[in-house]
Amino acid sequence: FPGGSVTPDTLPPCDVSVLNASRLAELAVGALPSRRAGFVGIGGGSDPVCDLAGASARLLASCVREPVHPSLMHELSKSFFLHALIRLVHLDDPLGYAVYRRVSLMYLAQIAANAGPASDQADGEQASCLLACVSYHDSSAYASRGGDEGNAPDVEGRVPAALGRDRDRTASGAAGPAM
């Protein structure tokens, strides 16, 4: 921001939602071991992982129809991938993993599509790191299914073919997967 500082008050609500959703998703993944330790969730619930992930998903749902600043694309992609991990590890839901993973990769692809010669090297490094994480967990999920592609969940038609630049997704009802 020329001549001023950035505060939460100066950011668009959608961008604030992305940042908050990303932090909540990180906390949810961090809370994965809490179930074994007997911690109590938000509002006295019995599952803090689902409580935190649900709060993150509600924030993500509130902003997927709006344009997000390109500098937040990595946070958005990471949030969806963390939800994929929660689905796979905590809920044993391979279909949910595949759906959230696909949405994450769509946003990750936008980072590459928006990259130009003057783009920040850190963006490319973050995108590469996230892609490596996705690849690692894909191979783990594949191995846990016996290495048979026929056992992979079918996600065709469960997520929009393309999210992103054409913000005309509201007509198709593409609000991202529900948590």
Side-chain angles (χ1 to χ4, degrees):
F1 282 34
S5 63
V6 177
T7 65
D9 298 347
T10 59
L11 293 173
C14 182
D15 291 354
V16 174
S17 291
V18 168
L19 292 170
N20 287 331
S22 181
R23 296 300 84 74
L24 287 170
E26 289 170 357
L27 288 170
V29 169
L32 283 171
S34 68
R35 189 174 205 187
R36 291 186 191 99
F39 291 122
V40 176
I42 298 169
S46 63
D47 193 348
V49 175
C50 287
D51 291 344
L52 290 164
S56 175
R58 285 188 291 282
L59 287 167
L60 289 172
S62 73
C63 68
V64 293
R65 296 179 194 266
E66 299 296 323
V68 174
H69 193 275
S71 67
L72 297 175
M73 221 32 87
H74 178 263
E75 292 293 325
L76 191 58
S77 180
K78 179 179 69 173
S79 296
F80 278 106
F81 183 65
L82 291 175
H83 280 278
L85 285 179
I86 290 166
R87 288 292 188 158
L88 185 65
V89 174
H90 187 64
L91 301 174
D92 192 28
D93 177 10
L95 178 59
Y97 169 79
V99 170
Y100 274 102
R101 172 199 169 276
R102 179 174 279 189
V103 174
S104 172
L105 289 174
M106 284 190 263
Y107 283 113
L108 194 59
Q110 287 185 19
I111 294 172
N114 293 332
S119 67
D120 188 5
Q121 182 180 359
D123 286 345
E125 290 172 2
Q126 288 177 334
S128 294
C129 182
L130 183 57
L131 187 57
C133 289
V134 171
S135 297
Y136 171 78
H137 288 286
D138 281 356
S139 65
S140 176
Y142 179 72
S144 72
R145 300 273 175 253
D148 182 5
E149 289 184 30
N151 290 337
D154 181 20
V155 296
E156 295 304 319
R158 295 188 184 270
V159 289
L163 294 173
R165 294 184 186 178
D166 67 324
R167 294 296 171 182
D168 190 28
R169 294 175 302 178
T170 55
S172 67
M179 182 55 133

